[in-house]
Amino acid sequence: MNPYYDSKDLGQFGKIGDFGAKASADKFFAWYGEVFKEGALTAREKSLIALAVAHAVQCPYCIEAYTTDTLEKGCSGDQQMEAVHVAAAIRGGASMVHSVQLMNKARSLSM
Amino acid sequence: MNVGRLCNQACKHCHVDAGPDRTELMSRKIFEACLRMVDRDSPSTVDLTGGAPEMNPHFRWFVEELSKRSVKILVRCNLTIILASDYYGELPEFFARNRVEVVSSLPFYQAERTDRQRGTGVFEKSIEALRRLNAVGYGRAGTGLVLNLVYNPAGAFFPAPQDQLERDFRKSLDEGHQVAFNNLFALTNLPINRFLDYLLVSGNYETYMEKLVEAFNPVAASGAMCRSMVSVSWDGRLYDCDFNQVLDLPAQPTVADRVESFDRGAWEHRIISTGRHCFGCTAGAGSSCGGATT
C-alpha cells in the first residue's frame, strides 16, 4: 500500500466524529451498521458486494477491510475474485456501453 | 491427553511444534497412571491428541483399555496418518471397533488453502482418508460412528460462524468428493509457537492481537474449555489446557502437578493460569477444541 494510505489509519475511522460534525458521523455509522446487518441479503453476500465496490471505487482501506471480512465469513478465493470480476465487468461495461452513444452520434452525423 | 509430539506432518500453524523429528512420547507408565485416574475420577471424555497420537507405540493398547470403560474416547486424527503405511491403514477399522469419536483437521474445503497450511498434497490425502473412514461407517447416519471436522483459518483472520462454515463444508465435500461428516468445529488460531512466528514474520501480530482483545467476549470466557478439563502432557504433568501445556505454563501451585497425584476436588477449585494466548479462546463466539463455545 502507498504510504499515503496507512492500514493503521483504518482504526481511526470510527473516531472521525471527534474531529467535527459528530452528529452526522454518528448517523453515518448507525446507518452503516444497519446496512450490513443480515437482511434480505446475507451478511456474506453484503460483504462480497462491499469487496466488489471497494475495488470499483479503488479504496485501499475498504479493500483491506472487506478482504478480511469476506475471509472471516468463510469466502473462498474464487468467491472473492469473482466478486472483483463483477466490479471490473461493470466498470468495463460502463465504458463499452457508452459506445452506443458513439454509434448514435456518428450515425446522426453521417450520410 | 497429549501423548507425544511426534507427527508425520509439520503444519505451519501447529501450536505443539509437532513434526517427524520430535521424540517426546508418553510412556507406558504414564498411560497406566492415566488409566488409574480414569478409573478413580470417571471423566466423561478422554481426548487423545499429539502430534499424531496414533504414532505413540502404546496408543492402540490404551484405546482398547479405555474402550472397556464407560468413557467417551476422542482421537484427534490428522487424516494423512491413515495413508502413511499399511499399519496405519488399519486405523478406520480400529477406531470403529473401539467406538472412537474421530476429530480431524481440515482447514478448508478446497486444496489450495488446506495445502498452504498443512503441506502440499495434504488435501487430496485427507479426502482419501475421509473416504476410508466413511467406508467403515464414520459420518454415516445410523452407525453411531462420529466423524467431526475442525476448521481453523489459514492466516491472520478469525473463523467464520461455525454453522455457516459447516454448511459450506458439507455442500462442497458432499458434491465435490462424496465425503460425509457429522459436525464441523471452528477454531481460532492462538498466538503461540508456529502461528506466533508467522504473525511476527508477516507483520500481522499487532493487528491480530488487537482484534483478539477487542473481540473479548465474557460469555465465551465463561464457557472456556479450561474450566472443565485437565490436560495431561506426554511426561505426565498436568496443565489447564493443551496451550498452557506447550507453553509450559503450569497449573497454579495449589494443586498437584502430576497425573499420579491428581486430586479432582482441588483441581475444580484451582485458579486457572492465563496468558495473552487466552484471548484466542475468548474472542467472538469463543473457541475450544470442541469449536465455538457460545
Side-chain angles (χ1 to χ4, degrees), chain A residues 8 44 68 71-80, chain B residues 108-110 113 157-161 164 168 206 211:
Chain A
K8 288 179 182 167
R44 180 195 281 190
T68 307
L71 282 170
E72 292 182 345
K73 288 190 164 49
C75 293
S76 66
D78 286 336
Q79 289 168 330
Q80 291 172 310
Chain B
F108 208 55
Y109 53 78
Q110 291 176 329
R113 213 177 279 180
F157 55 94
F158 287 0
Q164 180 188 307
D168 292 345
E206 200 177 328
K211 278 184 65 156

Side-chain angles (χ1 to χ4, degrees), chain A residues 1 12-14 19 22 29 34 38-40 47-49 52 55 61 66 75 78 86 91 96 99 102 104 109:
Chain A
M1 186 184 277
Q12 297 181 46
F13 184 30
F19 190 80
K22 186 167 187 327
F29 286 117
E34 187 67 29
E38 197 98 6
S47 188
L48 281 166
I49 292 169
H55 283 77
Y61 297 120
Y66 285 97
C75 293
D78 286 336
V86 170
R91 278 177 70 102
M96 293 308 295
S99 65
L102 175 161
N104 289 345
L109 297 173

Side-chain angles (χ1 to χ4, degrees), chain B residues 100-113:
Chain B
V100 167
E101 186 171 313
V102 177
V103 182
S104 295
S105 282
L106 192 67
F108 208 55
Y109 53 78
Q110 291 176 329
E112 189 268 338
R113 213 177 279 180

Side-chain angles (χ1 to χ4, degrees), chain B residues 106 108-112 114 123-132 134 140 168-180:
Chain B
L106 192 67
F108 208 55
Y109 53 78
Q110 291 176 329
E112 189 268 338
T114 297
F123 181 79
E124 285 305 320
K125 286 181 186 173
S126 299
I127 293 296
E128 175 56 25
L130 287 169
R131 287 196 182 114
R132 293 190 191 186
N134 283 167
R140 301 291 186 193
D168 292 345
F169 269 67
R170 200 177 302 288
K171 183 171 188 289
S172 182
L173 293 182
D174 180 35
E175 291 177 3
H177 306 281
Q178 296 77 53
V179 162

Side-chain angles (χ1 to χ4, degrees), chain A residues 90-104:
Chain A
I90 294 297
R91 278 177 70 102
S95 294
M96 293 308 295
V97 75
H98 279 79
S99 65
V100 176
Q101 296 290 106
L102 175 161
M103 291 190 300
N104 289 345

